[in-house]
Amino acid sequence: MTIELQYCNITVNDVDEAIAFYNVLGLDVRNDVASGDYRWVSLGSDAQPELGIVVSVPHAGRSQADGDALQELLTKGLLPMLVFRTGDVDATFEALRASGAEVLQEPMDQGWGPRDCAFRDPSGNMVRISQTPAA
C-alpha cells in the first residue's frame, strides 16, 4: 500500500490576498472553483506537482456555526501552521519580506538541524520556511 498527501487546506480571510502571498513562494493557481458566494482555489508548484494547497474562506462549504468557529480560530491565529522546504531559506526570506509579508522570525540555524524563518500570511496563518542542512 502506498499513500501520499494530495491536498491540504488553508483557511483565509481573502482568497485573492492569499494567492498573491503564496505566489511569492512559487505556488501558482491550478484550479479555481466557484460555488455561490465562495471559491476554492488550488495552488501548487512544479516542485511537487501532485500536491495541492486549497485556499478558501471560513464559511465556504460550512454551516454558519462551523464557519463562525473557524473564523474565530483564524482571527486568533490558532489554525495549524504550514512548513515549506526550500533550498535557500535566506533568498526565500528576502523575497517574502520584500513583498510586505509580516515577519515573525528572521532566518536562524535551529539546534535540531534546519535553518528556518517564519511569517504570517495576510490572514494570520503562520508559515515557516525551512532549509535542510547540507549533508
Side-chain angles (χ1 to χ4, degrees):
M1 177 178 91
T2 62
I3 189 164
E4 298 177 338
L5 182 62
Q6 183 175 7
Y7 293 105
C8 67
N9 293 288
I10 304 173
T11 302
V12 299
N13 289 318
D14 184 307
V15 170
D16 290 317
E17 281 183 350
I19 291 169
F21 174 85
Y22 290 102
N23 278 170
V24 176
L25 292 175
L27 301 175
D28 298 316
V29 173
R30 299 282 169 88
N31 201 4
D32 190 338
V33 178
S35 178
D37 294 334
Y38 303 110
R39 24 193 298 239
W40 291 261
V41 176
S42 300
L43 305 172
S45 77
D46 292 339
Q48 286 184 294
E50 302 86 15
L51 177 61
I53 296 174
V54 180
V55 296
S56 63
V57 296
H59 291 88
R62 297 180 180 90
S63 70
Q64 184 67 41
D66 289 346
D68 290 349
L70 195 52
Q71 179 65 63
E72 186 175 341
L73 292 171
L74 178 62
T75 300
K76 292 179 177 177
L78 296 177
L79 295 179
M81 77 171 102
L82 290 171
V83 181
F84 290 94
R85 182 177 49 227
T86 181
D88 187 341
V89 72
D90 294 285
T92 304
F93 174 82
E94 290 304 331
L96 274 172
R97 180 163 57 184
S99 77
E102 179 185 356
V103 176
L104 295 178
Q105 175 203 304
E106 295 198 11
M108 62 183 293
D109 295 323
Q110 299 292 351
W112 57 91
R115 179 171 177 77
D116 70 0
C117 62
F119 290 87
R120 287 211 186 276
D121 76 7
S123 298
N125 295 298
M126 181 186 289
V127 176
R128 297 194 74 84
I129 312 296
S130 180
Q131 179 180 346
T132 303

